[in-house]
């Protein structure tokens, strides 16, 4: 068992802000499948959902020093929802 598994989300976010790769990995392992399932329930397109989840985690790492997150799971789920909304809009524009 990894020692990061015992940490709550608040601690992981604080460690992430300090450039802790282990904390990022723990967040990824904790939430990537949850986010994918959420995305797939909305969109039903495997690759689009995988891309959306990946984009969220890339953004999370890139912006780790500026994070102000109090509820990590809710934040990530909202990020996926807005990412999918954007993807749907782009897809509709292409179809038109």
């Amino acid at each position: 068992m990894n020692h990061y598994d015992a940490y709550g989300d608040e601690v992981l976010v604080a460690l992430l802000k300090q450039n802790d790769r282990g904390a990022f990995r723990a967040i990824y392992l904790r939430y990537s499948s949850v986010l994918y399932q959420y995305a797939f329930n909305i969109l039903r397109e495997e690759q689009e959902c995988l891309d959306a989840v990946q984009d969220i985690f890339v953004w999370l790492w890139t912006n780790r020093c500026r994070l102000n997150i109090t509820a990590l799971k809710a934040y990530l789920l909202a990020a996926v929802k807005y990412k999918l909304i954007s993807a749907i809009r782009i897809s509709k524009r292409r179809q038109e």
Side-chain angles (χ1 to χ4, degrees), residues 50-94:
L50 289 171
D51 290 346
V53 171
Q54 190 69 22
D55 288 347
I56 297 302
F57 281 104
V58 167
W59 182 92
L60 187 68
W61 178 256
T62 302
N63 294 282
R64 66 192 174 279
C65 295
R66 296 183 278 159
L67 295 177
N68 189 18
I69 300 172
T70 55
L72 181 60
K73 183 177 180 180
Y75 183 90
L76 293 173
L77 289 170
V80 167
K81 180 175 87 173
Y82 290 115
K83 188 75 171 167
L84 294 179
I85 289 170
S86 177
I88 291 168
R89 282 185 188 144
I90 290 170
S91 177
K92 284 187 178 185
R93 282 188 203 140
R94 287 183 189 152

Side-chain angles (χ1 to χ4, degrees), residues 3-86:
H3 72 278
Y4 288 99
D5 295 340
Y7 294 151
D9 289 349
E10 301 82 18
V11 174
L12 290 174
V13 170
L15 291 170
L16 180 63
K17 290 172 92 169
Q18 298 171 11
N19 300 320
D20 189 317
R21 291 178 186 266
F24 178 78
R25 185 173 192 279
I27 292 168
Y28 182 84
L29 292 174
R30 187 175 293 179
Y31 290 113
S32 61
S33 63
V34 172
L35 298 178
Y36 172 78
Q37 285 294 14
Y38 179 72
F40 192 78
N41 286 335
I42 294 170
L43 202 56
R44 301 274 184 214
E45 292 185 26
E46 182 179 358
Q47 194 57 51
E48 287 274 345
C49 295
L50 289 171
D51 290 346
V53 171
Q54 190 69 22
D55 288 347
I56 297 302
F57 281 104
V58 167
W59 182 92
L60 187 68
W61 178 256
T62 302
N63 294 282
R64 66 192 174 279
C65 295
R66 296 183 278 159
L67 295 177
N68 189 18
I69 300 172
T70 55
L72 181 60
K73 183 177 180 180
Y75 183 90
L76 293 173
L77 289 170
V80 167
K81 180 175 87 173
Y82 290 115
K83 188 75 171 167
L84 294 179
I85 289 170
S86 177

